[in-house]
Amino acid sequence: MNPTKSSILIIYTGGTIGMKNDEHTGALIPFDFSGIYEEFPSLKRLNVDIEVITLSPIIDSSNVAPENWVRLAEIIRDNYASYDGFVVLHGTDTMSYTASALSFMLEDLTKPVVFTGSQIPIGVLRTDGRENLITSIEIAGARSDDHPTVPEVSLYFQNRLFRANRTTKRSAEALNAFVSDNYPPLANVGVNIAYHKSIINYPATYSNELHIATHLAEGVEIIKIFPGMSRQILEAVFSIPHLKAVVLETFGAGNAPTCEWFIRIITDAISRGVIVLNITQCGGGAVEMDLYDTGLRLKQAGVVCGYDMTTEAAVAKLMYVLGLNRSKEETLSLLREPLRGEFTV
Ligand code: ASP
């Protein structure tokens, strides 16, 4: 490899971005990213060397499970010293979950890991995948003052680069499918790429070694409350054997019904050691459990505040933190502080 060029590893996991029309039948078939320079000769003009790993099998991201996150983290760790940055091509449906999980699992990351995908297959004329791919490669290879410009797990889609663990897929139709309601873009892309360095996380020191977490806890569930929710569903979830934690998607600023059975089921679960993390269903804004009596009751029951975290980040963080097998106190204190910029206190 040319030492003056950035070297980028593309990891293709599956999803719409990797599809093209078969020349003969017209049906969608997987695109072979190892022939990336033949398909996109313009990539040669970027100052990067590119290599591609295609996972086998490639999967629709609806089939992604925590085992796939571990595999991805291992690939990044095993190739870490050989590359300056990584681009992960992933189906859009669960990309925010995977990218959030990786933000926690890549524990001392100091190189860019950029997730991207597309709404229209890369082999279709009107694809959004070509721009998403090329710009992600450029971002993964970007350097300022001899260091990577974005040494975080990020997600690039339609002209905006986001902190990955702040994102949510918001549209099944629009090309700007992802939002980051509670944290501004790390970069905006127009004629130039405008990086917003004051809001990018930079490490104190840089290293060619990466430590990863490979144990993710099971027993993490999500409950979305709604007016008219039955007591049985709440009881059923909280009586799952080996339940460790529940992301409770509440109303507004973290509010939930104050009726006796609701508070009692939650209080009992917490006293049995289950962690309940309060995340608002609103997307934008944060949980503030002191604001209304309906939030205060949850706080008094021992519910943990999730601030302005997304559900995707909350689930991933719980699996990661509980997988560390720390004491109850340490676990709670890791949940109460932002570990990778996933919430703002
Ligand atoms: N179902 C696809 C996936 O998530 C959708 C996409 O990639 O946009 O794998």
Side-chain angles (χ1 to χ4, degrees):
M1 266 175 209
N2 180 340
T4 61
K5 284 185 169 183
S6 292
S7 56
I8 304 300
L9 181 64
I10 296 178
I11 306 167
Y12 170 43
T13 68
T16 297
I17 190 164
M19 296 287 154
K20 72 178 204 175
N21 290 105
D22 183 279
E23 276 174 33
H24 308 293
T25 65
L28 283 174
I29 54 163
F31 173 95
D32 180 5
F33 278 95
S34 60
I36 198 163
Y37 284 115
E38 288 85 81
E39 290 283 343
F40 305 115
S42 52
L43 274 180
K44 290 192 187 126
R45 280 189 260 137
L46 283 180
N47 194 31
V48 288
D49 278 320
I50 298 167
E51 284 182 22
V52 181
I53 291 180
T54 298
L55 296 197
S56 176
I58 51 169
I59 53 174
D60 186 292
S61 77
S62 302
N63 285 319
V64 162
E67 299 86 83
N68 302 92
W69 302 342
V70 172
R71 179 82 195 100
L72 205 45
E74 287 170 344
I75 291 173
I76 294 173
R77 178 199 55 200
D78 296 346
N79 289 280
Y80 198 66
S82 311
Y83 295 91
D84 298 308
F86 300 82
V87 172
V88 181
L89 303 179
H90 195 285
T92 58
D93 290 347
T94 63
M95 184 151 57
S96 290
Y97 285 95
T98 301
S100 295
L102 269 285
S103 78
F104 297 110
M105 295 164 74
L106 308 180
E107 292 188 316
D108 46 7
L109 184 73
T110 59
K111 295 184 181 186
V113 175
V114 187
F115 277 77
T116 197
S118 70
Q119 293 279 66
I120 305 174
I122 202 143
V124 170
L125 199 55
R126 213 163 49 74
T127 185
D128 51 329
R130 190 180 306 114
E131 195 280 321
N132 285 348
L133 170 66
I134 291 173
T135 305
S136 296
I137 294 170
E138 189 166 345
I139 290 169
R143 295 182 74 78
S144 332
D145 305 325
D146 215 23
H147 288 302
T149 308
V150 191
E152 300 198 26
V153 181
S154 59
L155 187 153
Y156 179 72
F157 223 85
Q158 273 274 306
N159 306 329
R160 289 176 302 173
L161 180 74
F162 298 118
R163 174 167 299 154
N165 59 30
R166 294 297 196 133
T167 63
T168 298
K169 183 175 179 183
R170 186 62 58 76
S171 177
E173 167 67 25
L175 296 185
N176 58 353
F178 288 84
V179 293
S180 167
D181 283 323
N182 292 321
Y183 201 74
L186 305 180
N188 288 91
V189 176
V191 174
N192 297 298
I193 302 180
Y195 292 101
H196 307 304
K197 293 186 188 160
S198 62
I199 58 161
I200 295 173
N201 279 343
Y202 288 100
T205 54
Y206 291 81
S207 164
N208 252 340
E209 226 186 300
L210 176 68
H211 297 98
I212 63 168
T214 52
H215 185 239
L216 297 169
E218 292 177 0
V220 177
E221 306 293 341
I222 300 172
I223 298 176
K224 179 172 184 163
I225 64 167
F226 60 94
M229 177 181 199
S230 72
R231 174 181 180 155
Q232 287 91 329
I233 187 82
L234 203 66
E235 276 170 350
V237 175
F238 278 107
S239 59
I240 292 174
H242 311 299
L243 181 72
K244 292 200 179 80
V246 168
V247 174
L248 190 67
E249 281 201 4
T250 55
F251 305 127
N255 305 311
T258 50
C259 55
E260 187 276 327
W261 62 265
F262 187 92
I263 298 295
R264 186 179 43 75
I265 293 171
I266 292 196
T267 312
D268 287 354
I270 292 171
S271 62
R272 290 196 311 272
V274 175
I275 289 170
V276 181
L277 185 58
N278 189 349
I279 300 293
T280 171
Q281 314 182 352
C282 287
V287 167
E288 278 181 70
M289 289 195 282
D290 292 322
L291 216 50
Y292 298 91
D293 183 47
T294 43
L296 198 56
R297 297 292 292 276
L298 295 179
K299 187 176 175 181
Q300 287 161 348
V303 170
V304 179
C305 182
Y307 298 96
D308 60 357
M309 211 171 6
T310 61
T311 295
E312 291 88 333
V315 168
K317 183 173 182 178
L318 282 166
M319 289 183 184
Y320 165 72
V321 170
L322 290 165
L324 297 174
N325 281 321
R326 302 279 182 84
S327 68
K328 188 68 186 246
E329 258 167 51
E330 281 176 303
T331 300
L332 287 174
S333 103
L334 289 173
L335 293 174
R336 287 188 184 120
E337 64 183 90
L339 303 179
R340 313 279 191 265
E342 70 276 14
F343 62 77
T344 308
V345 184

